[in-house]
């Protein structure tokens, strides 16, 4: 790939290649934008088909973090790391300590956290070499398991979307179809059940489904049936791309609001559901509770303060809906615009500050 051409096209700031022969470390740190603050984004370890595929993933993910952090109202930019290797057999202490030293060498421009293929234990090893890491063990002042907080944010965002569709943010009596009952979704179901929602659930993990049936009185359906059930809200909380050509014609929900990443298989599917009048809560806005939570560690973690910030996902979804109406665009585009407008305001503010400073110097 023509790396500099790609970086210029999407305005990336920096790509760092990290190699340590002894430990086998091969890592790529991509820093997309630091207008709002240091770049925050997790470290993913994966068996990539090629080095080019790893670079592309790091670039794509780091840009996504710029938008996610900006839309969440965080004073943080976007970055991401990918480590090439099999997380089941290639990990070792020396690898993550070497990686920690590379992060320390960036002197705060990039802050990492766990992601696919990495764990809290891996972050603890990185922490031996740098303070620029979040998602470490609670013993070190971390926030611990982010799933309950992510679920709380999705719950708040769902209420905002429901208000747009139904005129009230109450979920009492609403039928909500939840696809996937992992840690985040199970905690989400608890919030929904406590408010009096009726749950329809599915997952390939039968034990997780049974647990939701027993604890929340949920109705279980086959994974292929979840799209066509009669419901008010569809909550995708498992794999991405479940909003696609096959599923959209089956949907009866008036709201789509869930925890999954990359819910639209293609952007055109966002246009389709917009034309159908379905209120879509963009994934990276509604599921930002986890990153908001770990970002609070940078100030010395305070759970009450973090949850208060996560509550703002409600108003963030409202802002997306307002922009969608203002500009007559689908909500997935409005989410990008929300992030871009915030970044642009900061750039303009800095530019004005520098111009004023230069003006004062010239007068002297």
């Amino acid at each position: 790939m023509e790396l500099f051409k790609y970086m210029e096209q999407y305005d990336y700031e920096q790509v760092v290649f990290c190699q340590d022969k002894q430990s086998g470390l091969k890592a790529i740190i991509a820093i997309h934008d630091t207008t709002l603050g240091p770049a925050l984004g997790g470290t993913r370890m994966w068996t990539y088909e090629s080095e080019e595929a790893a670079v592309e993933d790091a670039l794509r993910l780091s840009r996504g973090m710029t938008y996610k952090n900006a839309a969440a109202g965080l004073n943080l930019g976007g970055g991401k790391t990918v480590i090439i290797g099999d997380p089941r057999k290639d990990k070792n202490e020396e690898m993550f300590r070497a990686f920690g030293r590379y992060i320390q060498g960036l002197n705060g421009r990039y802050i990492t956290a766990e992601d696919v293929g990495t764990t809290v234990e891996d972050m603890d090893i990185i922490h031996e070499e740098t303070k620029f890491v979040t998602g470490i063990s609670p013993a070190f002042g971390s926030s611990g398991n982010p799933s309950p907080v992510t679920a709380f944010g999705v719950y708040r965002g769902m209420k905002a979307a429901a208000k747009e569709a139904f005129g009230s943010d109450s979920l009492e009596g609403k039928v909500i179809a939840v696809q996937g009952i992992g840690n985040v979704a199970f905690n989400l179901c608890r919030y929904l059940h406590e408010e009096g929602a009726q749950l329809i659930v599915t997952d390939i993990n039968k034990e997780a489904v049974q647990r939701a049936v027993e604890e929340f009185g949920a109705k279980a359906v086959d994974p292929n049936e979840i799209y066509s059930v009669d419901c008010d809200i569809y909550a995708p909380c498992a794999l991405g791309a479940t909003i696609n050509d096959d599923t959209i014609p089956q949907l009866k929900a008036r709201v789509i609001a869930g925890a999954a990443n990359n819910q639209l298989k293609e952007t055109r599917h966002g246009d389709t559901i917009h034309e159908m009048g379905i209120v879509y809560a963009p994934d990276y806005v509604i599921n930002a509770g986890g990153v908001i939570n770990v970002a609070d560690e940078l100030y010395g973690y305070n759970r009450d303060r973090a949850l208060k910030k996560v509550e703002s996902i409600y108003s963030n979804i409202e802002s997306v809906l307002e922009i969608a109406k203002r500009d007559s665009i689908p909500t997935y585009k409005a989410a990008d615009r929300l992030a871009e407008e915030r970044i642009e305001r900061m750039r303009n503010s800095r530019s004005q500050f520098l111009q004023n400073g230069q003006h004062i110097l010239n007068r002297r």
Side-chain angles (χ1 to χ4, degrees):
M1 65 184 300
E2 296 180 86
L3 184 55
F4 279 106
K5 184 177 181 180
Y6 188 93
M7 290 177 67
E8 184 179 4
Q9 181 181 357
Y10 295 106
D11 204 19
Y12 288 85
E13 294 180 8
Q14 187 175 8
V15 178
V16 182
F17 292 86
C18 312
Q19 185 275 145
D20 182 71
K21 184 176 180 180
Q22 182 173 338
S23 66
L25 174 70
K26 292 182 177 66
I28 301 146
I29 303 172
I31 298 175
H32 177 247
D33 188 285
T34 58
T35 301
L36 297 175
L40 172 67
T43 293
R44 177 171 296 193
M45 188 170 185
W46 195 251
T47 51
Y48 291 97
E49 294 179 358
S50 65
E51 292 178 4
E52 183 176 88
V55 173
E56 289 178 349
D57 204 29
L59 291 168
R60 178 182 61 84
L61 293 168
S62 66
R63 186 165 178 256
M65 287 306 301
T66 293
Y67 281 78
K68 187 167 192 167
N69 293 337
L74 298 173
N75 295 319
L76 293 164
K80 205 79 171 186
T81 295
V82 300
I83 295 176
I84 300 172
D86 187 336
R88 295 167 298 181
K89 62 181 183 181
D90 293 335
K91 288 182 180 181
N92 57 70
E93 179 183 0
E94 293 81 5
M95 172 183 287
F96 287 104
R97 292 195 69 147
F99 178 54
R101 292 192 291 273
Y102 278 111
I103 294 175
Q104 183 66 21
L106 290 169
N107 199 31
R109 276 180 54 77
Y110 170 68
I111 303 162
T112 199
E114 64 184 279
D115 199 276
V116 175
T118 60
T119 65
V120 171
E121 291 72 26
D122 299 330
M123 297 305 110
D124 286 347
I125 297 173
I126 292 170
H127 187 240
E128 294 291 327
E129 301 289 344
T130 182
K131 63 182 179 180
F132 302 116
V133 54
T134 59
I136 52 180
S137 297
F140 295 116
S142 169
S143 55
N145 181 8
S147 296
V149 183
T150 302
F152 178 61
V154 174
Y155 167 67
R156 292 288 297 167
M158 184 182 291
K159 287 176 70 65
K163 183 179 179 181
E164 176 68 17
F166 308 114
S168 167
D169 68 3
S170 174
L171 299 177
E172 184 177 2
K174 292 289 184 290
V175 179
I176 303 173
V178 182
Q179 183 199 43
I181 308 295
N183 290 333
V184 172
F186 189 83
N187 282 282
L188 173 62
C189 286
R190 188 183 304 282
Y191 284 114
L192 300 176
H193 175 68
E194 289 174 353
E195 190 167 336
Q198 299 175 41
L199 299 173
I200 302 173
V201 301
T202 195
D203 197 296
I204 57 174
N205 183 337
K206 301 302 182 184
E207 291 181 2
V209 170
Q210 187 58 34
R211 187 179 171 204
V213 169
E214 293 174 357
E215 294 202 26
F216 310 127
K219 175 185 176 182
V221 298
D222 184 82
N224 293 323
E225 297 175 5
I226 195 70
Y227 310 107
S228 60
V229 298
D230 285 318
C231 65
D232 299 296
I233 300 171
Y234 167 56
C237 296
L239 298 175
T242 64
I243 304 172
N244 56 55
D245 289 336
D246 294 329
T247 61
I248 289 175
Q250 302 179 54
L251 294 175
K252 297 181 175 66
R254 290 177 59 189
V255 172
I256 297 175
N261 289 312
N262 306 314
Q263 294 172 21
L264 303 174
K265 185 172 183 180
E266 298 176 32
T267 55
R268 64 183 177 87
H269 295 122
D271 298 321
T272 302
I273 58 175
H274 173 70
E275 292 165 2
M276 294 169 63
I278 296 175
V279 177
Y280 170 56
D283 44 28
Y284 71 79
V285 180
I286 196 172
N287 68 14
V291 71
I292 293 172
N293 193 51
V294 297
D296 193 79
E297 295 177 23
L298 302 174
Y299 305 97
Y301 185 67
N302 181 293
R303 187 171 179 81
D304 290 339
R305 181 178 61 203
L307 288 175
K308 188 69 176 176
K309 182 70 174 175
V310 172
E311 281 186 7
S312 68
I313 288 177
Y314 186 109
S315 59
N316 293 344
I317 293 295
E318 286 187 315
S319 295
V320 168
L321 294 167
E322 289 169 5
I323 292 171
K325 292 177 191 173
R326 181 195 73 192
D327 298 346
S328 299
I329 56 176
T331 54
Y332 80 91
K333 291 182 179 178
D336 288 353
R337 200 157 292 181
L338 173 69
E340 289 163 357
E341 288 178 356
R342 182 165 180 248
I343 292 169
E344 192 59 31
R345 285 195 301 271
M346 181 57 70
R347 283 178 179 158
N348 291 338
S349 176
R350 286 184 175 178
S351 177
Q352 187 61 49
F353 177 80
L354 292 172
Q355 289 176 18
N356 290 342
Q358 188 61 50
H359 179 66
I360 291 170
L361 289 173
N362 290 341
R363 288 176 61 185
R364 289 180 179 177

